[in-house]
Coordinates of all heavy atoms in Angstrom, one line a residue:
R1 N 107.4 -8.3 -49.0 CA 106.8 -8.7 -47.6 C 105.9 -9.9 -47.8 O 105.8 -10.8 -47.1 CB 106.1 -7.5 -47.0 CG 107.1 -6.4 -46.6 CD 106.4 -5.4 -45.7 NE 105.8 -6.1 -44.4 CZ 105.3 -5.4 -43.5 NH1 105.0 -4.1 -43.7 NH2 104.9 -6.0 -42.4
I2 N 105.0 -9.8 -48.9 CA 104.1 -11.0 -49.1 C 104.9 -12.3 -49.4 O 104.5 -13.3 -48.9 CB 103.2 -10.6 -50.4 CG1 102.2 -9.5 -50.0 CG2 102.4 -11.9 -50.7 CD1 101.4 -9.0 -51.2
A3 N 106.0 -12.1 -50.2 CA 106.7 -13.4 -50.5 C 107.5 -13.8 -49.3 O 107.5 -15.0 -49.0 CB 107.7 -12.9 -51.5
A4 N 107.9 -12.9 -48.4 CA 108.6 -13.4 -47.2 C 107.8 -14.0 -46.2 O 108.2 -14.9 -45.4 CB 109.2 -12.1 -46.5
A5 N 106.4 -13.7 -46.3 CA 105.5 -14.4 -45.4 C 104.9 -15.6 -46.0 O 104.1 -16.4 -45.5 CB 104.3 -13.4 -45.1
G6 N 105.6 -16.2 -47.1 CA 105.2 -17.4 -47.7 C 104.0 -17.3 -48.7 O 103.5 -18.4 -49.2
G7 N 103.7 -16.1 -49.0 CA 102.5 -15.9 -49.9 C 103.0 -15.5 -51.4 O 104.1 -15.5 -51.8
S8 N 102.0 -15.2 -52.3 CA 102.3 -14.7 -53.5 C 101.4 -13.4 -53.8 O 100.3 -13.4 -53.4 CB 101.9 -15.8 -54.6 OG 101.8 -15.3 -55.9
P9 N 102.0 -12.5 -54.5 CA 101.3 -11.2 -54.8 C 100.0 -11.6 -55.6 O 99.1 -10.7 -55.5 CB 102.4 -10.5 -55.7 CG 103.6 -10.9 -55.1 CD 103.5 -12.4 -54.9
Q10 N 99.9 -12.7 -56.4 CA 98.9 -13.0 -57.2 C 97.7 -13.4 -56.3 O 96.6 -13.5 -56.7 CB 99.1 -14.1 -58.1 CG 100.0 -13.7 -59.3 CD 101.4 -13.4 -59.0 OE1 102.0 -14.1 -58.1 NE2 102.0 -12.3 -59.5
D11 N 98.0 -13.7 -55.1 CA 96.9 -14.0 -54.1 C 96.1 -12.9 -53.5 O 95.2 -13.1 -52.9 CB 97.6 -14.8 -52.9 CG 98.3 -16.2 -53.3 OD1 97.8 -16.6 -54.4 OD2 99.1 -16.5 -52.5
R12 N 96.6 -11.7 -53.8 CA 95.9 -10.4 -53.4 C 95.7 -9.4 -54.5 O 96.5 -9.5 -55.3 CB 96.9 -9.8 -52.1 CG 97.0 -10.6 -50.9 CD 97.5 -9.8 -49.8 NE 96.8 -8.6 -49.6 CZ 97.2 -7.5 -48.8 NH1 98.4 -7.6 -48.1 NH2 96.5 -6.5 -48.6
V13 N 94.8 -8.7 -54.2 CA 94.4 -7.6 -55.1 C 95.1 -6.4 -54.4 O 94.7 -5.9 -53.4 CB 93.0 -7.3 -55.3 CG1 92.7 -6.1 -56.2 CG2 92.3 -8.5 -55.8
L14 N 96.2 -5.9 -55.1 CA 97.0 -4.8 -54.6 C 96.5 -3.5 -55.3 O 96.1 -3.5 -56.6 CB 98.5 -5.0 -54.9 CG 99.1 -6.2 -54.2 CD1 100.5 -6.3 -54.6 CD2 99.1 -6.0 -52.6
M15 N 96.6 -2.4 -54.6 CA 96.1 -1.0 -55.1 C 97.1 -0.5 -56.2 O 98.4 -0.4 -55.9 CB 95.8 -0.1 -54.1 CG 94.8 -0.6 -53.1 SD 94.6 0.6 -51.7 CE 93.6 1.9 -52.6
N16 N 96.7 0.0 -57.3 CA 97.4 0.6 -58.4 C 97.7 2.0 -57.9 O 96.8 2.8 -57.7 CB 96.8 0.6 -59.7 CG 97.7 1.1 -60.8 OD1 98.6 1.9 -60.6 ND2 97.3 0.6 -62.1
P17 N 98.9 2.5 -57.7 CA 99.2 3.9 -57.3 C 98.5 4.9 -58.2 O 98.0 5.9 -57.7 CB 100.6 4.1 -57.4 CG 101.2 2.7 -57.2 CD 100.3 1.7 -57.8
A18 N 98.4 4.5 -59.5 CA 97.6 5.5 -60.4 C 96.2 5.7 -60.1 O 95.7 6.7 -60.1 CB 97.8 5.1 -61.8
S19 N 95.6 4.6 -59.5 CA 94.2 4.6 -59.2 C 94.1 5.6 -57.9 O 93.1 6.3 -57.7 CB 93.7 3.3 -58.9 OG 93.8 2.5 -60.0
I20 N 95.0 5.4 -57.0 CA 95.1 6.3 -55.7 C 95.1 7.8 -56.1 O 94.5 8.5 -55.6 CB 96.1 5.8 -54.8 CG1 95.9 4.2 -54.3 CG2 96.2 6.7 -53.5 CD1 97.0 3.7 -53.5
A21 N 96.1 7.9 -57.0 CA 96.3 9.4 -57.5 C 95.0 9.9 -58.2 O 94.9 11.2 -58.0 CB 97.5 9.4 -58.5
E22 N 94.3 9.1 -58.8 CA 93.1 9.7 -59.4 C 92.1 10.1 -58.3 O 91.3 11.2 -58.5 CB 92.4 8.6 -60.2 CG 91.3 9.1 -61.2 CD 91.6 10.2 -62.1 OE1 92.9 10.2 -62.6 OE2 90.9 11.2 -62.5
T23 N 92.1 9.5 -57.1 CA 91.2 9.8 -56.1 C 91.6 11.2 -55.5 O 90.9 12.0 -55.1 CB 91.3 8.7 -55.0 OG1 90.7 7.5 -55.6 CG2 90.4 9.2 -53.8
Y24 N 93.0 11.3 -55.4 CA 93.5 12.6 -54.8 C 93.1 13.8 -55.8 O 92.7 14.8 -55.4 CB 95.0 12.5 -54.8 CG 95.6 11.9 -53.6 CD1 95.5 10.6 -53.5 CD2 96.2 12.6 -52.6 CE1 96.1 9.9 -52.3 CE2 96.7 12.0 -51.5 CZ 96.6 10.7 -51.4 OH 97.1 10.0 -50.3
W25 N 93.1 13.5 -57.1 CA 92.6 14.5 -58.0 C 91.2 14.8 -57.9 O 90.8 16.0 -57.8 CB 92.9 13.9 -59.5 CG 92.3 14.8 -60.6 CD1 91.3 14.5 -61.4 CD2 92.8 16.0 -60.9 NE1 91.0 15.6 -62.2 CE2 92.0 16.6 -62.1 CE3 93.9 17.0 -60.6 CZ2 92.0 17.8 -62.8 CZ3 94.1 18.2 -61.2 CH2 93.2 18.6 -62.3
Q26 N 90.4 13.8 -57.8 CA 88.9 14.0 -57.7 C 88.6 14.8 -56.4 O 87.7 15.7 -56.4 CB 88.1 12.6 -57.7 CG 88.3 11.9 -59.0 CD 87.9 10.4 -58.9 OE1 87.5 10.0 -57.9 NE2 87.9 9.7 -60.0
L27 N 89.4 14.4 -55.3 CA 89.1 15.1 -54.0 C 89.4 16.6 -54.1 O 88.7 17.5 -53.7 CB 90.1 14.4 -52.9 CG 89.7 14.7 -51.6 CD1 88.3 14.1 -51.2 CD2 90.8 14.0 -50.6
H28 N 90.4 16.9 -54.8 CA 90.9 18.4 -55.2 C 89.9 19.1 -55.9 O 89.8 20.3 -55.7 CB 92.3 18.5 -55.7 CG 92.7 19.8 -55.9 ND1 93.0 20.6 -54.8 CD2 93.2 20.6 -57.0 CE1 93.3 21.8 -55.3 NE2 93.6 21.8 -56.5
Q29 N 89.0 18.4 -56.7 CA 88.0 19.1 -57.5 C 86.7 19.2 -56.9 O 85.8 19.9 -57.4 CB 87.8 18.2 -58.8 CG 89.1 18.0 -59.6 CD 89.8 19.2 -59.9 OE1 89.1 20.1 -60.6 NE2 91.0 19.3 -59.8
Q30 N 86.5 18.8 -55.7 CA 85.3 18.8 -55.0 C 84.8 20.2 -54.7 O 85.7 21.0 -54.3 CB 85.2 18.1 -53.7 CG 85.3 16.6 -53.7 CD 85.3 15.9 -52.4 OE1 85.7 16.5 -51.4 NE2 84.7 14.8 -52.2
P31 N 83.5 20.6 -54.9 CA 83.0 21.8 -54.6 C 82.9 22.0 -53.1 O 82.8 21.1 -52.3 CB 81.6 21.9 -55.2 CG 81.2 20.4 -55.2 CD 82.5 19.7 -55.5
R32 N 83.1 23.2 -52.6 CA 83.3 23.4 -51.2 C 82.1 23.2 -50.4 O 82.1 23.1 -49.2 CB 83.9 24.9 -50.9 CG 83.0 25.9 -51.3 CD 83.8 27.3 -51.1 NE 82.9 28.5 -51.5 CZ 83.3 29.7 -51.3 NH1 84.4 30.0 -50.9 NH2 82.5 30.7 -51.9
D33 N 81.0 23.1 -51.0 CA 79.7 22.8 -50.2 C 79.5 21.3 -50.1 O 78.6 20.9 -49.5 CB 78.5 23.4 -50.8 CG 78.1 23.0 -52.3 OD1 79.1 22.4 -52.9 OD2 77.1 22.9 -52.8
A34 N 80.4 20.5 -50.5 CA 80.4 19.1 -50.3 C 81.8 18.5 -50.2 O 82.3 17.5 -50.9 CB 79.6 18.4 -51.5
W35 N 82.6 19.0 -49.3 CA 84.0 18.6 -49.0 C 83.9 17.2 -48.3 O 83.2 17.1 -47.3 CB 84.8 19.6 -48.3 CG 85.4 20.7 -49.2 CD1 85.4 20.7 -50.6 CD2 86.0 21.9 -48.7 NE1 86.1 21.7 -50.9 CE2 86.6 22.5 -49.9 CE3 86.2 22.5 -47.5 CZ2 87.1 23.8 -49.8 CZ3 86.9 23.5 -47.3 CH2 87.4 24.2 -48.5
T36 N 84.9 16.4 -48.7 CA 85.1 15.1 -48.0 C 86.3 15.5 -47.0 O 87.3 15.9 -47.5 CB 85.6 13.8 -48.9 OG1 84.2 13.6 -49.6 CG2 85.8 12.8 -48.1
H37 N 86.1 15.0 -45.8 CA 87.3 15.2 -44.9 C 88.2 13.7 -44.9 O 89.3 13.8 -44.9 CB 87.0 15.5 -43.5 CG 88.3 15.3 -42.6 ND1 89.3 16.0 -42.7 CD2 88.5 14.5 -41.5 CE1 90.3 15.7 -41.8 NE2 89.7 14.7 -41.1
E38 N 87.4 12.8 -44.6 CA 88.2 11.4 -44.5 C 87.6 10.5 -45.5 O 86.4 10.4 -45.7 CB 88.1 10.8 -43.2 CG 88.9 9.6 -42.9 CD 89.1 9.3 -41.4 OE1 88.2 8.8 -40.8 OE2 90.3 9.6 -40.9
L39 N 88.5 9.7 -46.2 CA 88.1 8.9 -47.3 C 88.9 7.5 -47.2 O 90.2 7.5 -47.0 CB 88.4 9.5 -48.7 CG 88.1 8.8 -49.9 CD1 86.5 8.8 -50.1 CD2 88.5 9.6 -51.2
D40 N 88.3 6.4 -47.2 CA 88.8 5.1 -47.2 C 89.0 4.5 -48.5 O 88.1 4.8 -49.5 CB 88.0 4.0 -46.4 CG 87.8 4.3 -45.1 OD1 88.2 5.4 -44.5 OD2 87.4 3.4 -44.2
L41 N 90.2 4.1 -48.9 CA 90.5 3.5 -50.1 C 90.8 2.1 -50.0 O 91.7 1.8 -49.3 CB 91.5 4.3 -51.0 CG 91.2 5.6 -51.4 CD1 91.3 6.6 -50.5 CD2 92.0 5.9 -52.7
R42 N 90.2 1.1 -50.7 CA 90.6 -0.3 -50.7 C 90.0 -0.9 -52.0 O 89.0 -0.6 -52.5 CB 90.1 -0.9 -49.4 CG 88.6 -1.1 -49.2 CD 88.0 -1.7 -48.0 NE 88.5 -1.0 -46.8 CZ 87.8 0.0 -46.3 NH1 86.7 0.4 -46.9 NH2 88.2 0.7 -45.2

C-alpha cells in the first residue's frame, strides 16, 4: 500500500509484530489491582 501511494517503506517506521506480541504478553501478566483496559501502541 505504501508503494502504491508512491512512497517507500523506508520512509516510515513500521511496527514489528513481535514487539506488539510482547505487549500482549505483558498485558496478560498485569496484577488485577492495576489492570489496563485500553492501550495505544505506536
Side-chain angles (χ1 to χ4, degrees):
R1 289 192 64 180
I2 292 173
S8 168
Q10 286 70 38
D11 297 336
R12 292 191 57 186
V13 177
L14 299 176
M15 299 178 74
N16 185 334
S19 301
I20 298 172
E22 190 62 34
T23 300
Y24 281 70
W25 171 254
Q26 293 167 2
L27 199 60
H28 183 57
Q29 303 305 308
Q30 286 184 329
R32 61 183 178 180
D33 62 335
W35 274 349
T36 296
H37 167 64
E38 189 160 76
L39 186 65
D40 293 14
L41 288 84
R42 63 181 64 87

